[in-house]
Amino acid sequence: VGTGQPIDEAAVRSLVGATRTRGVAELTDRLGRGDLGGALYTFRALVSDGEAPIRLLAFLAANLRRALHVTELAATGLRSEEIGQRIGMPGWLVQKNLGRGDVWHLRRALRQLRQVDLELKRSRPAEAVFERALFAVALRRGAPAAG
């Protein structure tokens, strides 16, 4: 807020919001790498900081839909630059999204998130439902399920 300025609620909210946004991006990145432990840690930290699981779900689904769009375009043979131009995305973000899984994995993850959305709206225990979904979403191509 600057020297001599009071730290008010608006200043705190703006800083916390930026931290949470980075946390959601980190959650998506960890899932894309198949880092289940890191994804669970990030999810729990965000919830502990007051982020609502339903809101996290919306951000995560949006990130995965973007990754799916990029991956589907890449599967048609378009280069990163062409994908970025077509959908108005900077090249670095196209590259980041290309590393989040193949089309099959991303579609599967989005179906799982749709199920989480339904369960959350049925008043299921939010953290348990979301954590179970993270296990399913983090599974990489051909990786065996734990347990």
Side-chain angles (χ1 to χ4, degrees), residues 26-39:
E26 180 181 346
L27 176 62
T28 306
D29 290 344
R30 288 179 181 269
L31 285 172
R33 292 191 310 265
D35 176 8
L36 178 59

Side-chain angles (χ1 to χ4, degrees), residues 46-61:
L46 287 163
V47 170
S48 175
D49 286 343
E51 192 64 70
I54 194 79
R55 184 176 151 120
L56 288 173
L57 177 68
F59 283 128
L60 184 56

Side-chain angles (χ1 to χ4, degrees), residues 79-91:
R79 294 186 334 263
S80 295
E81 301 80 30
E82 295 168 319
I83 294 170
Q85 289 173 350
R86 182 173 285 192
I87 61 177
M89 183 182 289

